[in-house]
């Protein structure tokens, strides 16, 4: 069984992430969306909120072979624990490459058996990031169409309260 883990901060999960996830779900038997539980990154959304929003999105999109979970510690250790042979990452632009190149080098050093596969973001999402969504939402702009529709109202209210 081919299992992939799609890790990230997902603070919050955007439609760019959803695009990558749908591609991965079509390729792997099972995909875990793994939310990094690291308070050092000072996320706006708690890990519980992020997992809950992702679970709602999985349900609403009918993604039968996708699960969501939180993880702490090293990603390769978590991947081994859930039996994932692949890490899934998205690439939006050349600026992502340097960062991904470094993460891949570290992960390969730690566990060469776990390989990373990349999906290019759709050009329509190449500008989109979680930090853009947070900033737009906190400043009262519309985030409709930037986040999964099932989470739109929750995120709009939550980010408006955040500012
Ligand atoms: O969405 P992000 O914040 O770019 O995701 C980064 C993530 C979660 C993939 C990365 O920070 C990570 O894997 N952290 C877990 C700790 C770890 O394994 N570090 C070694 C590789 S950098």
């Amino acid at each position: 069984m081919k299992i992939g883990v799609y890790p990230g901060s997902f603070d919050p999960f955007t439609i760019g992430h959803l695009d990558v996830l749908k591609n991965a779900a079509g390729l792997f038997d099972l995909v875990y969306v793994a939310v990094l539980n690291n308070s050092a990154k000072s996320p706006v959304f708690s890990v519980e909120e992020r997992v809950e929003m992702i679970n709602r999105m999985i349900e609403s999109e009918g993604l039968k072979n996708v699960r969501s979970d939180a993880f702490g510690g090293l990603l390769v250790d978590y991947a081994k624990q859930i039996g994932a042979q692949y890490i899934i990452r998205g690439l939006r632009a050349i600026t992502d490459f340097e960062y991904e190149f470094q993460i891949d080098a570290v992960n390969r050093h730690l566990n060469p058996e776990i390989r990373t596969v990349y999906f290019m973001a759709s050009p329509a999402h190449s500008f989109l990031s979680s930090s853009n969504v947070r900033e737009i939402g906190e400043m009262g702009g519309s985030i409709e169409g930037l986040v999964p529709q099932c989470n739109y109202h929750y995120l709009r209210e939550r980010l408006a309260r955040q500012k």
Side-chain angles (χ1 to χ4, degrees):
M1 178 143 137
K2 272 204 180 79
I3 304 178
V5 56
Y6 181 27
S9 302
F10 304 123
D11 188 38
F13 195 92
T14 69
I15 54 154
H17 294 131
L18 178 56
D19 184 38
V20 170
L21 179 62
K22 282 181 174 171
N23 283 308
L27 197 63
F28 292 95
D29 298 309
L30 182 60
V31 176
Y32 284 85
V33 182
V35 178
L36 179 67
N37 189 0
N38 179 359
S39 53
K41 281 209 170 186
S42 309
V44 164
F45 297 94
S46 71
V47 71
E48 291 80 12
E49 274 179 299
R50 284 177 280 159
V51 170
E52 195 180 321
M53 283 191 279
I54 292 167
N55 276 331
R56 199 181 301 142
M57 176 277 302
I58 292 169
E59 176 78 29
S60 144
E61 295 289 331
L63 297 168
K64 301 271 182 254
N65 60 338
V66 178
R67 314 267 178 276
S68 180
D69 194 9
F71 81 102
L74 289 173
L75 174 60
V76 290
D77 291 343
Y78 175 71
K80 198 170 173 189
Q81 185 194 315
I82 60 171
Q85 309 92 338
Y86 298 92
I87 294 167
I88 297 151
R89 296 285 286 171
L91 290 173
R92 283 164 306 186
I94 197 81
T95 41
D96 283 342
F97 182 79
E98 186 71 30
Y99 175 59
E100 295 301 329
F101 188 73
Q102 285 180 15
I103 295 183
D104 180 61
V106 174
N107 286 334
R108 272 204 224 200
H109 167 78
L110 294 170
N111 188 339
E113 286 174 10
I114 298 173
R115 304 307 306 271
T116 305
V117 295
Y118 302 89
F119 290 96
M120 289 301 297
S122 143
H125 305 144
S126 58
F127 71 96
L128 184 58
S129 67
S130 296
S131 57
N132 279 343
V133 167
R134 292 196 304 270
E135 188 166 304
I136 295 167
E138 284 174 18
M139 293 183 174
S142 173
I143 57 165
E144 188 157 23
L146 303 182
V147 295
Q149 189 59 30
C150 62
N151 291 323
Y152 164 64
H153 292 286
Y154 175 79
L155 280 168
R156 193 184 62 174
E157 303 302 316
R158 180 69 170 70
L159 286 169
R161 269 189 279 131
Q162 187 69 29
K163 64 179 176 189

